[in-house]
Amino acid sequence: MAPHAGSRHSFTLGIRDAGGRLFLTEREPYRFREHADSRIHVVAQGDTLFDLAGRYFASLPRACGFWWAIADFQPDPIIDPTLELEPGRRLLIPSLRVLTDVILGEQRRRFEA
């Protein structure tokens, strides 16, 4: 089954070994780049990547599932989304446009695949 639209796994390739087992290649995360419409979010007590994705990408279906775009977008990427975010930390948030047109864009998928 193919990954859902918007899945970070859509930027990987499936490779089978000699035994027929399927493995995914590593994906190239979209690291921070200057965009005029990016935001800065100061983490409040209890904020999670899932909540922030739901807030900033609310117009998208399953918005919370785009937590990985925020995690990858940091100059010092967040590897484990289950760890508590430190209050006062400044997170860079890609705009909805950057997420849909650049991070999830077909041009990037073709370039990286």
Side-chain angles (χ1 to χ4, degrees):
M1 172 158 66
H4 293 316
S7 168
R8 65 183 190 256
H9 300 295
S10 63
F11 294 97
T12 64
L13 298 175
I15 299 175
R16 295 198 182 273
D17 68 4
R21 292 177 296 190
L22 182 64
F23 294 90
L24 296 178
T25 61
E26 290 292 324
R27 67 184 178 85
E28 185 63 36
Y30 187 83
R31 300 284 185 234
F32 173 76
R33 296 181 187 132
E34 282 289 334
H35 293 281
D37 52 353
S38 295
R39 296 178 171 198
I40 295 175
H41 176 87
V42 179
V43 174
Q45 185 70 41
D47 278 349
T48 68
L49 289 175
F50 307 101
D51 293 336
L52 295 176
R55 181 182 319 162
Y56 288 104
F57 309 136
S59 64
L60 298 177
R62 302 176 321 137
C64 296
F66 292 104
W67 64 266
W68 57 270
I70 296 172
D72 288 350
F73 198 64
Q74 305 314 301
D76 182 20
I78 299 169
I79 305 302
D80 186 346
T82 65
L83 295 178
E84 186 174 328
L85 297 172
E86 182 180 334
R89 178 178 179 172
R90 296 165 55 92
L91 293 179
L92 298 161
I93 309 291
S95 68
L96 184 60
R97 178 198 65 82
V98 170
L99 176 64
T100 59
D101 297 352
V102 180
I103 296 173
L104 298 174
E106 192 60 36
Q107 182 65 29
R108 181 169 172 252
R109 188 179 332 277
R110 276 195 292 254
F111 177 74
E112 293 185 7

